[in-house]
Amino acid sequence: MALCQRGWCAGTDSHLEKSGWKDYFLRVDKDRLIYINEEIEMKKILIGIYGVAVLCLSGCGQKAAVWEVASPDGNVRFVTETVGGEGEDTELQYKIMYKDSVVVNPSRLGIVMNGHEYGRNVRLEDVSFKSIDESYELKAGKRLLAHNRCEEMTLTFADGHTLPFQFIVRVFDDGAAFRYSFPAQVDSLFTIENELTEFAVPVGGKAWIHPYDWNDRFKPSYEQYSKNEIAVNALPDHDKGWAFPMLFHTNGVWMMITEACLDGTYPATHVDNSGKGEVYKIRFPEAEEPVIPDSPEPVSTLPWCTPWRAIVIGTELNTVFTTQMVSHLNPPSVIEDASWIKAGRSAWSWWYDGSSARSYKEQLKYVDLCCEMGWEYLLIDAGWPDMDGKGVEGVVAYAAERGIGVWLWYHSGSGRGEDTPLQHRLMADTQLRRAEMERISKMGVKGIKVDFFDTDKQRIIANYPAILKDAADYRLLVDLHGATLPRGLERTYPNLLTTEAIRGAETLGRQERCDRAAEHNATVPFTRNVVGSMDYTPVTFSNKIRQGVPAFRRTSVAHQLALAVVFESGFQCFADRAEAYLSLPEIPRDFLKKVPAAWDESLLLAGYPSDYVVVARRKGDTWFIGGINGKNQEREISFALPESGAGKAFTLIKDGEDIHSFDYEEVKPEDGRLHLTLAGNGGFAAIIN
């Protein structure tokens, strides 16, 4: 029985092998297949030019359907299928294969909207495929020129009683992503009571995951320490679940699961262990997140798409480190002329002295620091409206004369009522926000740091693109602080240069946090910083003083210097006091003058999460190398330098006699490998021209 007419199928033997169905077919010529297994009744098969198999089977009292799409290189395969028993009781599920390994076991899919479960007893109405191959340019990040290449499959389902819905899959060479869509045009509001999506990660491996942020302050701000090398499906210490991204090493692959594309029609989500067998399942924000009384469930008119569920996959940890999938899954830039958007480094006085924003004279000192160091920006934090002397207008004018751009801090206004001081409501109300943005833009301000969003509920998530859009209208750059995890908004709004969502240097005013800093610093390059620029405010040599009590730094000065490379941020705030940078020895001071804030290429040269990390980032023809030890014990490391940097002589900035001193070594690795000793909690940095 011929199943394919000439011109309908253009599959290959390799496609059939990857689909697991080669045994059932005999190739007659390049366009025709003959079915040769009579035990299973074949209803339909489509082998397309995308390496896709769509199979519908019946037999043995069961009904099943299988749809598969493969990555451009054929290594990643996403399989969607219906499963169930007799009759019409079926469920939709998926699994992901990498080469010959199952990297996500069969996992449930589905949406419960207005009381109906979409994904149960579905009937396929249509299937379509397309290839995506596009390049675009970012203004900040690990690699400015991005290449988005993937295969997409859209399955349109109906159950005969409710609205049609779509399941959309994209498969990349470095992973896969999926989302749900309701394409009908309906003006009334719909509520998604539950998203049934699960991630059945194979057990037996290890996980690095940050618990969903939960403490006494209005949260989440994603400032929890990661739980490192824990068992897959382990439970958190509280009942609020886990935050994205989740990093795994299991079944021979490294894998990261995260979320992408928040447009304001959905809350930011996280996961818990409520799936079958305690596997990870999507969870909406917590009802108790107190900044607003809203219900955590998403509400919208139709058409409506959920965020993408993204899974990065590779045999090498560098695949996770370098991925740009989160950015790929967002819409293109809406800013036609982005020439004014420039990444850069900034001085910031608040870390060492929280009252400094009120001092005109103090801020002029930090403008002068920027001039000396060649840094592009100055950030003036909370308190600037009460600045003495010539006020913030005077600082902006003084900075502009010297080519330095000024950023100002604002409260997001999340959950604030009219009884709140006006200054803390300016970013929450559209009219107030645009008026303030127009005012400071005319003054010459270049950017805003917007803080304290304090919840992942939908109404506050909708503020993010609203703020970014209005800021773009007035040519203002943006740092989202006290904010949710990045989901790729920097592609659509490239004026977004960085986001906090990290326990950064601000918290180092407590000794217990200084004691944990080295391990934390060696973890987040593999977790939080993978998915977007990270406003950690690094490179702090001083001991932070909080309420008159200093907390003593446990990392070496070389470790701190290396963070300028290890941590990526399009708006890189160097947080220490002016005197700390100006008193540095010439070589490390020169390093901080030269290190940029946006990169043409980034590579993980060596490392293991929470243990140690060595990063190389390139700007033009120059490589910047940074490495840190996450453990308080000496270690020997060896790694290959980037190919274009091999064989060149350079100065290694490394640990000195103690954590407060530097040492230097002239090296020229003839074999292209660098061999060195890292002190406990130590580090190193270098520039290779």
Side-chain angles (χ1 to χ4, degrees):
M1 177 176 65
L3 296 179
C4 297
Q5 302 299 319
R6 185 175 297 277
W8 185 51
C9 288
T12 67
D13 288 327
S14 63
H15 291 155
L16 292 174
E17 281 185 284
K18 292 168 186 172
S19 304
W21 293 95
K22 187 175 181 182
D23 292 344
Y24 299 130
F25 300 96
L26 176 67
R27 182 168 297 286
V28 177
D29 59 31
K30 68 176 183 177
D31 295 314
R32 298 183 65 222
L33 301 172
I34 291 181
Y35 178 60
I36 60 173
N37 188 310
E38 299 297 337
E39 295 180 5
I40 300 178
E41 179 188 356
M42 178 63 66
K43 298 293 186 182
K44 178 181 179 183
I45 179 169
L46 169 62
I47 306 283
I49 61 173
Y50 308 106
V52 177
V54 179
L55 311 170
C56 298
L57 314 174
S58 66
C60 303
Q62 288 190 336
K63 280 195 164 187
V66 181
W67 303 271
E68 181 177 313
V69 59
S71 60
D73 66 4
N75 287 332
V76 182
R77 293 152 47 210
F78 191 102
V79 180
T80 312
E81 57 189 343
T82 57
V83 295
E86 297 184 5
E88 296 296 318
D89 189 15
T90 60
E91 290 182 353
L92 201 61
Q93 69 176 26
Y94 75 98
K95 66 180 178 181
I96 303 178
M97 308 287 293
Y98 183 77
K99 297 182 179 179
D100 296 325
S101 297
V102 178
V103 294
V104 177
N105 288 325
S107 303
R108 188 179 182 184
L109 294 167
I111 291 281
V112 178
M113 186 172 75
N114 285 19
H116 180 79
E117 182 180 333
Y118 292 83
R120 181 175 292 277
N121 303 328
V122 296
R123 182 181 70 250
L124 183 69
E125 294 290 307
D126 185 55
V127 58
S128 62
F129 310 98
K130 72 175 181 180
S131 292
I132 297 173
D133 193 342
E134 61 177 356
S135 295
Y136 60 94
E137 188 175 352
L138 297 168
K139 289 295 185 177
K142 65 184 83 172
R143 186 184 183 95
L144 297 186
L145 184 60
H147 185 197
N148 176 21
R149 181 170 175 254
C150 64
E151 304 295 343
E152 181 181 276
M153 175 177 69
T154 300
L155 302 172
T156 301
F157 295 108
D159 60 12
H161 305 290
T162 55
L163 294 163
F165 83 102
Q166 295 175 328
F167 184 64
I168 306 170
V169 180
R170 291 184 182 175
V171 188
F172 307 78
D173 289 347
D174 62 350
F178 60 89
R179 76 192 310 184
Y180 309 91
S181 173
F182 296 89
Q185 183 75 46
V186 183
D187 291 335
S188 57
L189 289 174
F190 291 78
T191 300
I192 293 178
E193 291 93 359
N194 196 2
E195 182 176 333
L196 305 175
T197 304
E198 295 178 359
F199 306 95
V201 178
V203 297
K206 298 176 180 179
W208 292 257
I209 320 179
H210 298 255
Y212 190 60
D213 211 346
W214 203 257
N215 57 28
D216 293 334
R217 226 197 83 188
F218 289 177
K219 289 286 184 180
S221 294
Y222 294 82
E223 296 181 3
Q224 295 294 318
Y225 291 112
S226 174
K227 299 291 185 179
N228 298 327
E229 293 192 272
I230 61 174
V232 175
N233 296 340
L235 300 177
D237 295 334
H238 56 53
D239 63 355
K240 310 301 182 184
W242 301 100
F244 291 125
M246 304 187 291
L247 178 68
F248 302 94
H249 191 207
T250 186
N251 266 17
V253 301
W254 289 95
M255 184 165 60
M256 175 171 281
I257 299 176
T258 193
E259 178 174 70
C261 194
L262 289 178
D263 61 4
T265 64
Y266 218 81
T269 69
H270 54 293
V271 301
D272 59 20
N273 296 84
S274 65
K276 185 177 180 181
E278 294 189 334
V279 304
Y280 306 106
K281 176 190 172 296
I282 289 292
R283 177 168 173 153
F284 294 144
E286 304 306 303
E288 310 96 290
E289 291 176 20
V291 65
I292 53 172
D294 297 25
S295 171
E297 290 81 17
V299 177
S300 181
T301 59
L302 305 185
W304 193 7
C305 290
T306 68
W308 291 97
R309 311 291 165 220
I311 303 99
V312 183
I313 303 164
T315 54
E316 302 295 330
L317 192 49
N318 187 54
T319 301
V320 174
F321 181 83
T322 59
T323 188
Q324 293 183 289
M325 188 188 298
V326 171
S327 176
H328 295 337
L329 293 168
N330 279 262
S333 173
V334 297
I335 301 175
E336 293 184 7
D337 176 14
S339 60
W340 55 275
I341 301 174
K342 299 184 186 302
R345 302 147 302 168
S346 178
W348 181 46
S349 65
W350 183 92
W351 184 82
Y352 191 74
D353 180 0
S355 65
S356 60
R358 296 176 174 85
S359 170
Y360 172 74
K361 183 178 179 181
E362 191 74 2
Q363 293 309 309
L364 295 189
K365 181 175 74 175
Y366 281 85
V367 173
D368 293 340
L369 171 66
C370 292
C371 293
E372 170 64 24
M373 299 298 291
W375 299 342
E376 295 81 0
Y377 300 116
L378 167 68
L379 169 61
I380 309 177
D381 216 273
W384 62 263
D386 301 322
M387 188 182 297
D388 61 15
K390 296 182 180 179
V392 72
E393 292 86 355
V395 177
V396 172
Y398 181 87
E401 290 173 359
R402 290 154 179 79
I404 307 300
V406 173
W407 292 52
L408 299 178
W409 179 94
Y410 287 88
H411 198 292
S412 79
S414 298
R416 299 296 179 109
E418 292 187 0
D419 56 341
T420 302
L422 178 63
Q423 187 66 26
H424 284 182
R425 293 187 286 117
L426 293 175
M427 291 296 127
D429 178 273
T430 302
Q431 289 185 331
L432 292 175
R433 180 170 63 235
R434 291 185 66 84
E436 177 68 2
M437 288 179 173
E438 181 179 22
R439 182 183 78 86
I440 63 174
S441 178
K442 288 180 178 178
M443 186 196 305
V445 171
K446 299 300 182 184
I448 56 174
K449 173 182 175 179
V450 187
D451 204 350
F452 298 123
F453 288 86
D454 293 339
T455 182
D456 272 356
K457 292 180 181 178
Q458 181 180 340
R459 180 153 59 97
I460 302 306
I461 292 299
N463 284 352
Y464 291 104
I467 289 170
L468 290 165
K469 178 183 179 301
D470 289 344
D473 288 345
Y474 295 102
R475 295 199 165 194
L476 290 171
L477 306 171
V478 179
D479 170 2
L480 296 173
H481 209 71
T484 195
L485 187 79
R487 267 81 169 185
L489 271 172
E490 71 278 357
R491 181 183 179 188
T492 310
Y493 298 96
N495 57 325
L496 173 58
L497 293 187
T498 195
T499 303
E500 187 188 20
I502 183 68
R503 173 162 278 173
E506 285 186 36
T507 69
L508 296 179
R510 296 181 181 179
Q511 190 59 51
E512 68 272 16
R513 295 175 181 178
C514 291
D515 295 343
R516 299 187 64 173
E519 181 179 358
H520 180 55
N521 293 347
T523 302
V524 295
F526 302 98
T527 55
R528 160 64 185 88
N529 211 181
V530 168
V531 299
S533 288
M534 183 174 76
D535 189 23
Y536 182 102
T537 64
V539 192
T540 52
F541 305 110
S542 304
N543 294 321
K544 184 173 171 59
I545 299 174
R546 179 176 178 268
Q547 297 176 347
V549 179
F552 296 99
R553 171 175 48 81
R554 301 303 190 197
T555 54
S556 74
V557 289
H559 179 120
Q560 285 297 318
L561 186 72
L563 297 182
V565 177
V566 173
F567 293 165
E568 182 276 311
S569 179
F571 179 59
Q572 186 73 286
C573 285
F574 296 130
D576 210 338
R577 58 198 176 101
E579 293 80 3
Y581 298 118
L582 296 174
S583 63
L584 284 172
E586 180 180 357
I587 293 175
R589 187 171 71 249
D590 189 58
F591 182 89
L592 288 179
K593 289 181 178 182
K594 293 178 178 178
V595 66
W599 306 96
D600 295 318
E601 186 178 1
S602 296
L603 296 172
L604 175 67
L605 299 185
Y608 188 82
S610 74
D611 193 7
Y612 77 104
V613 58
V614 181
V615 172
R617 302 191 194 270
R618 180 178 59 83
K619 185 70 171 180
D621 296 328
T622 302
W623 285 99
F624 294 80
I625 314 291
I628 60 172
N629 188 354
K631 304 297 183 186
N632 193 19
Q633 57 192 38
E634 186 177 279
R635 70 182 335 133
E636 304 290 330
I637 64 171
S638 175
F639 55 89
L641 294 168
E643 185 175 349
S644 61
K648 294 182 177 179
F650 58 91
T651 300
L652 190 67
I653 309 171
K654 60 182 186 178
D655 296 309
E657 295 181 354
D658 54 36
I659 67 169
H660 306 297
S661 62
F662 293 100
D663 196 5
Y664 313 97
E665 181 181 355
E666 297 301 318
V667 297
K668 187 178 181 181
E670 298 295 344
D671 62 353
R673 296 189 65 86
L674 188 61
H675 310 266
L676 71 156
T677 301
L678 283 181
N681 292 350
F684 72 94
I687 301 175
I688 306 177
N689 291 304

